[in-house]
Amino acid sequence: MYADQETIRRILTGTGDTWAVVGLSNNSARAAYGVARVLQRYGKRIVPVHPKAETVHGEQGYASLADIPFPVDVVDVFVNSDLAGGVADEAVAKGAKAVWFQLDVIDEGAYERVRAAGLDMVMNRCPAIEIPQLDD
């Protein structure tokens, strides 16, 4: 229900190539680190968003979505479900076109708010798993 194939395909191929990855740091043991690398391999520009504002995979990091001085197309959320709704609301305020909640990140209220604001949203899925399957 929260991740139909049409929406997944639209976000990955047509929404735009600038992805703010919330929760991305230089900790290579975290899932966000590897997923961001896969997104880069598929031509996406990743923008690390983490309180440390670290440069990751060669891209300047920012402490929050509001600090990013340019538009972002997709906000990919790697924070726990308790915090994810706030990030989704920030994504809407930022003017993003879509929000993507990673595996095990679930907030049905946030999903409804994002969709009501006119954005595409996927929840409880991983773009690094989905994007290679688009060629199938």
Side-chain angles (χ1 to χ4, degrees):
M1 173 177 172
Y2 298 111
D4 66 273
Q5 286 305 122
E6 180 182 323
T7 302
I8 289 169
R9 178 175 292 279
R10 185 169 50 249
I11 292 172
L12 291 172
T13 64
T15 298
D17 291 333
T18 302
W19 285 56
V21 183
V22 179
L24 176 57
S25 71
N26 275 310
N27 183 346
S28 62
R30 303 288 303 197
Y33 189 87
V35 170
R37 179 61 85 196
V38 170
L39 289 169
Q40 281 184 318
R41 280 201 303 266
Y42 280 88
K44 307 300 182 192
R45 175 186 183 192
I46 58 111
V47 182
V49 179
H50 188 279
K52 294 179 181 178
E54 298 174 315
T55 296
V56 184
H57 300 313
E59 294 287 347
Q60 169 66 48
Y62 297 90
S64 71
L65 287 173
D67 290 341
I68 301 171
F70 49 83
V72 297
D73 299 310
V74 182
V75 175
D76 190 6
V77 181
F78 278 92
V79 300
N80 70 48
S81 296
D82 293 341
L83 301 174
V87 175
D89 295 337
E90 291 172 26
V92 171
K94 176 72 180 164
K97 299 173 188 167
V99 176
W100 191 299
F101 279 11
Q102 284 293 323
L103 294 170
D104 298 323
V105 179
I106 299 169
D107 182 330
E108 293 178 4
Y111 182 89
E112 297 303 328
R113 291 192 307 276
V114 168
R115 296 293 297 130
L119 283 68
D120 276 334
M121 183 163 176
V122 170
M123 188 162 63
N124 193 28
R125 298 296 273 272
C126 178
I129 294 170
E130 301 295 334
I131 202 166
Q133 297 177 19
L134 294 177
D135 297 332
D136 292 350

